[in-house]
Amino acid sequence: TKAENHLLYTPFWRWYILSSLRGHFSSVRLLNTTDLQNNQSVLWHGTHVSFWDGYLGVLLAQHFKLEYRVMMLEDNLSKFSFLRFAGAFGVARGSARGALESLRFAAAELQKTPARAMLMFPSGEIGSPHLRPIPFESGVAALANLAAKEQDLMVCALAIRLEYGSEA
């Protein structure tokens, strides 16, 4: 399933996601150690620690004024199909052809103008941030190689840490 920009649905779902974050977290802080250039696409990759990770990606992309895309397992995207209007697109795990098609779509998205922010979780599923070694599939390297053939691409590791107070 491909991500879609829609005149009405996309702004609505992004507003909904940002409102959800405001309603569930007292604060969100960003420690930025990159020198992201204007109009430069970025591929963020990191461990998938919670349901909120993709939502936080929407906030991060908004902060950098970038169009947002996030790679999501096709099975999960079919359950939450509205997320394709917020920037999610599907990858079929276990299908070499499906994975290659998703990587080609992702690379094409990263080469578009205006610049894009793409988030992917190479572990493929939610897991503990304390697990070592971190289980990563090889998709990030393949995507970075595909996307960087046409133009510069920044590839950044993303660390998300959630701290819950007295209420989870």
Side-chain angles (χ1 to χ4, degrees), residues 51-97:
F51 164 83
W52 296 104
D53 298 344
Y55 280 33
L56 290 167
V58 172
L59 183 63
L60 195 57
Q62 181 188 51
H63 174 79
F64 286 108
K65 297 175 178 55
L66 296 168
E67 182 60 36
Y68 179 66
R69 296 288 180 262
V70 60
M71 187 179 282
M72 189 172 175
L73 291 175
E74 189 73 46
D75 294 344
N76 292 336
L77 188 55
S78 66
K79 292 176 196 170
F80 304 102
S81 60
F82 71 91
L83 290 175
R84 66 192 160 99
F85 294 112
F89 64 96
V91 60
R93 189 181 224 179
S95 164
R97 175 177 279 189

Side-chain angles (χ1 to χ4, degrees), residues 2-164:
K2 306 264 192 284
E4 296 184 38
N5 279 347
H6 187 275
L7 187 62
L8 298 174
Y9 298 148
T10 298
F12 170 77
W13 285 115
R14 289 189 179 161
W15 168 84
Y16 174 81
I17 286 168
L18 294 172
S19 296
S20 295
L21 287 171
R22 284 184 204 98
H24 284 86
F25 295 95
S26 62
S27 68
V28 176
R29 297 184 182 128
L30 169 65
L31 173 62
N32 180 24
T33 60
T34 63
D35 185 24
L36 190 59
Q37 303 298 313
N38 287 339
N39 208 24
Q40 181 181 26
S41 289
V42 60
L43 172 59
W44 288 310
H45 63 89
T47 55
H48 197 4
V49 297
S50 79
F51 164 83
W52 296 104
D53 298 344
Y55 280 33
L56 290 167
V58 172
L59 183 63
L60 195 57
Q62 181 188 51
H63 174 79
F64 286 108
K65 297 175 178 55
L66 296 168
E67 182 60 36
Y68 179 66
R69 296 288 180 262
V70 60
M71 187 179 282
M72 189 172 175
L73 291 175
E74 189 73 46
D75 294 344
N76 292 336
L77 188 55
S78 66
K79 292 176 196 170
F80 304 102
S81 60
F82 71 91
L83 290 175
R84 66 192 160 99
F85 294 112
F89 64 96
V91 60
R93 189 181 224 179
S95 164
R97 175 177 279 189
L100 183 58
E101 190 176 303
S102 294
L103 288 175
R104 286 183 178 148
F105 172 79
E109 285 292 304
L110 285 167
Q111 293 167 355
K112 287 184 177 178
T113 304
R116 310 269 193 219
M118 183 161 303
L119 177 56
M120 74 186 290
F121 302 103
S123 59
E125 54 195 40
I126 295 175
S128 170
H130 307 292
L131 183 65
R132 300 292 185 265
I134 299 169
F136 272 15
E137 304 286 333
S138 60
V140 171
L143 176 54
N145 284 330
L146 271 174
K149 286 183 179 179
E150 300 293 321
Q151 66 187 40
D152 287 343
L153 173 70
M154 182 173 278
V155 180
C156 299
L158 178 66
I160 296 173
R161 186 174 96 186
L162 300 176
E163 292 188 23
Y164 295 99

